[in-house]
Structure formats: structure tokens, C-alpha cells
Amino acid sequence: MKRLNPYSGLVGGLSADELELLSAAVEERRLREEIGVGTLAEAADRYRPRPACPACGEASPWRDGREPSGVRRWRCPSCGARFTSLTGTVLENCKKPLSTWVSFIRLALFAVPLDACAEACRITHQTAWEWRHRLFAAVDGYQDRIVLRGTVWVDETYINDTDLSRGYGQARKRGLSGQKVCIAVGIDSRKEPVAVACGHGKPSSGRIMEAMGAHVEKGARLVHDRERAHNVLVRELGLEDEPHKADVRDPVYLEAMALVNNLCSWLKRYLWRFTGMDPDNLQSYLNLYVYLFRVKRDDERWPKIARVVRHLLATDARFRSST
Ligand SMILES: [Zn+2]
């Protein structure tokens, strides 16, 4: 026998507004249990307990009450600026509740296309687009700090420029490698990934150095196919060289390159989800990919949703609308 839900009657009798409030309260409670904070205000209090003045950098602003949303307001004793705990983060002026953001982050972790995000989060396509760019702003420069060490695998993967902007399988000129966008990819034995857009066509030594030079530790061991442009890394960074002849039928080659080959194919699959992207945003997509790759990799140690929420609040970054 099916048991009646004791709340059915109560819920059935609520007005539309009351139902919204109830469901927001339920969402908040769930979030509090899952990630320790239920609202943007609680998240701001936890991760930005005393934000510096965004105008002059003054480290000890005065408390100045709270917004209707509960987000704390501050006033700067030095320059008089008024701001909130969310000012200077990508969540500034966000009118949706934290629970909607968490749904959006969950979908971003699965690289769900924008239309589906909008539908599932019950936000407009415009908001979903803007939120994706807010995520981009929060991971801008994120890879700058990543340095691969120990044994490092490096390779390049290519995608058609037109695939990015017009969609896969569209008519295009074939065989013109100059038309393809090159992505330099690296990974080390700790599974630290790097992915950097590296211009069009086969890369020169200069482009490889520019893309990867800062991401490989001096003296590391470099495992790679025999791409000549890689030699610049070996020379400039004093790397131990382990070249393999590219041969997909050679099990030794495949095993040596498996990590980086997997990374390349995951990356391609990820980019396929976003056909119609502006190719100018390619590096932002790559930054987000690398960020989410690490978040998923460390999920056992550091639960992923809580980590992303913390990142969005703790990172000084601003979404700027291009219009
Ligand atoms: Zn100030």
C-alpha cells in the first residue's frame, strides 16, 4: 500500500508565491547539508568574511548592514566606497539564488550545452550565456600557475576552426592544415593537465615555447612524439628527452603516450559539445576544461560542488559583458 505524503495537503493549499518560498527554503536546507552553505549571503560570509575595499584596497572596511538578500554591505573608512561581500567576484549582482548556481555548476561539470543548462536551471538563454562567461572570468589565468613536473607528456591536437564556429560535419575545405587550430596539451604523472591554444597549423618552436614553456619544470623528463618543435623545450628547459616515433600500431608508443592521447580525445569530445562557440573564446573553454578536470580528479579529497562555489567567491574576478 502506498503511504500518503503528509505534506501533500499542505503543499496543495499554498498559493504560487508561498510555493516558491517553500521550495526555496527546501533548496537552501539541502544545499546547507551538501556544501555547508545554503544562500549566497551565507557563502559570502564564509568565504569572504572581510573583503578588502575593491576601490582602494583598504583591508579593514566597516560593516554597513545587509542587503535585503542578506549579503553584507561594507563601507571603506579610507575612500568612502560602499560595496557588498560579493563586489569584485563573478557573483556580483547575481539575482538568482545559490541553488540555481549550484545546478548550473553541476551541469558545467558534465559539459552540458547552454540550451540544456537554460532549460534545466529554468533561466533564460541570455542568463545561461552570461553565467558561462562568469565562469570563464573566474578561471581566467587559472592555468598560469600550473607547472608539470617529473615525467611530462606533451602533444598537439587539431580542430577545424569552422567546427568551432559553425558546427561539426559542415562543409569545409579539407586537408588545409593552416586552417586548423592547434592546441598544445601536456600532462604529468600526477595527472596535472595543461591545454593552451597555439595558433593555426603545425606549431613552430617559438609557438610551442610560448604555449608550454612556463608549464614544464626545468629538468623534467619529456615524453613526446618526434615533433621537432618540441626540441625547443628540451633545449631551453634542460629536459631529459624521451621521444617516441608516432605509430598507432606500436604498443610501446601507445602506452608511453596513453595519458596525453586520452587527454586529447577527452578535450575534443568536450569541445564538440560547444559547436557554435566563438573561436576567440577557445582559450576560455580550455581554461574551464582544465579547471573542471582538476576539480573532478580531486573530488574524493575535496567535494567538487563545494570547491567550485568556494572558488567563485574567493576569486577576485569580474564578468564584463562585451556589449
Ligand atoms: Zn576604499
Side-chain angles (χ1 to χ4, degrees), residues 1-316:
M1 207 176 75
K2 216 174 141 192
R3 271 220 325 213
L4 271 184
N5 183 330
Y7 298 101
S8 295
L10 171 73
V11 170
L14 295 176
S15 72
D17 288 350
E18 290 167 336
L19 184 63
E20 277 306 309
L21 288 173
L22 176 65
S23 98
V26 170
E27 288 294 330
E28 282 173 21
R29 155 92 192 253
R30 286 219 175 105
L31 270 188
R32 220 166 272 133
E33 279 168 14
E34 186 190 348
I35 65 171
V37 289
T39 63
L40 280 172
E42 288 168 25
D45 284 348
R46 169 171 297 191
Y47 298 121
R48 290 179 93 78
R50 205 175 185 84
C53 170
C56 75
E58 160 70 48
S60 306
W62 293 327
R63 292 181 173 195
D64 190 22
R66 286 183 184 268
E67 304 262 277
S69 65
V71 174
R72 184 172 289 291
R73 286 193 299 238
W74 302 88
R75 194 152 62 84
C76 176
S78 307
C79 76
R82 289 168 187 274
F83 54 99
T84 79
S85 297
L86 295 178
T87 305
T89 74
V90 295
L91 295 172
E92 186 173 353
N93 300 325
C94 182
K95 289 171 200 75
K96 300 284 180 187
L98 180 62
S99 58
T100 308
W101 259 101
V102 166
S103 307
F104 188 78
I105 292 165
R106 272 189 227 287
L107 298 170
L109 281 158
F110 288 99
V112 171
L114 223 46
D115 285 342
C117 290
E119 179 90 19
C121 297
R122 295 200 276 165
I123 54 181
T124 63
H125 186 88
Q126 176 61 31
T127 301
W129 182 90
E130 187 186 305
W131 284 16
R132 171 163 294 159
H133 284 76
R134 286 177 189 247
L135 286 183
F136 286 163
V139 297
D140 185 33
Y142 178 77
Q143 294 192 68
D144 296 355
R145 299 184 296 257
I146 300 180
V147 178
L148 311 182
R149 46 175 109 94
T151 303
V152 176
W153 289 261
V154 164
D155 201 1
E156 290 78 44
T157 190
Y158 297 89
I159 41 178
N160 283 294
D161 214 344
T162 47
D163 286 344
L164 295 179
S165 56
R166 277 191 265 136
Y168 290 84
Q170 298 279 319
R172 59 174 177 257
K173 291 180 212 148
R174 290 186 177 273
L176 286 179
S177 71
Q179 198 187 21
K180 293 191 172 204
V181 182
C182 174
I183 301 169
V185 173
I187 191 165
D188 70 11
S189 33
R190 301 166 304 159
K191 292 211 175 127
E192 283 292 356
V194 166
V196 184
C198 185
H200 284 79
K202 235 169 144 38
S204 62
S205 300
R207 273 162 54 205
I208 285 292
M209 192 60 201
E210 195 188 335
M212 300 300 290
H215 295 298
V216 181
E217 193 175 63
K218 282 191 172 142
R221 187 159 68 104
L222 187 74
V223 185
H224 61 112
D225 57 22
R226 290 177 178 174
E227 171 58 57
R228 242 196 299 153
H230 296 157
N231 293 342
V232 68
L233 296 173
V234 174
R235 204 168 53 237
E236 297 282 323
L237 303 171
L239 306 181
E240 192 187 320
D241 194 9
E242 189 184 322
H244 288 265
K245 188 165 175 262
D247 179 359
V248 290
R249 287 159 306 178
D250 174 4
V252 176
Y253 167 76
L254 285 180
E255 204 193 319
M257 297 296 287
L259 259 183
V260 72
N261 282 340
N262 286 342
L263 182 58
C264 286
S265 62
W266 295 328
L267 199 55
K268 279 191 163 171
R269 249 176 290 164
Y270 163 83
L271 291 172
W272 281 334
R273 305 285 196 97
F274 304 115
T275 58
M277 73 160 78
D278 181 346
D280 288 347
N281 289 331
L282 177 61
Q283 190 57 54
S284 296
Y285 279 92
L286 297 177
N287 293 340
L288 187 59
Y289 179 83
V290 166
Y291 173 69
L292 297 177
F293 180 97
R294 298 178 100 216
V295 164
K296 285 189 266 192
R297 181 196 65 192
D298 301 339
D299 183 40
E300 260 178 50
R301 240 176 342 114
W302 196 351
K304 47 187 189 282
I305 299 293
R307 178 172 175 181
V308 177
V309 168
R310 180 185 174 280
H311 180 91
L312 294 184
L313 282 144
T315 305
D316 290 324

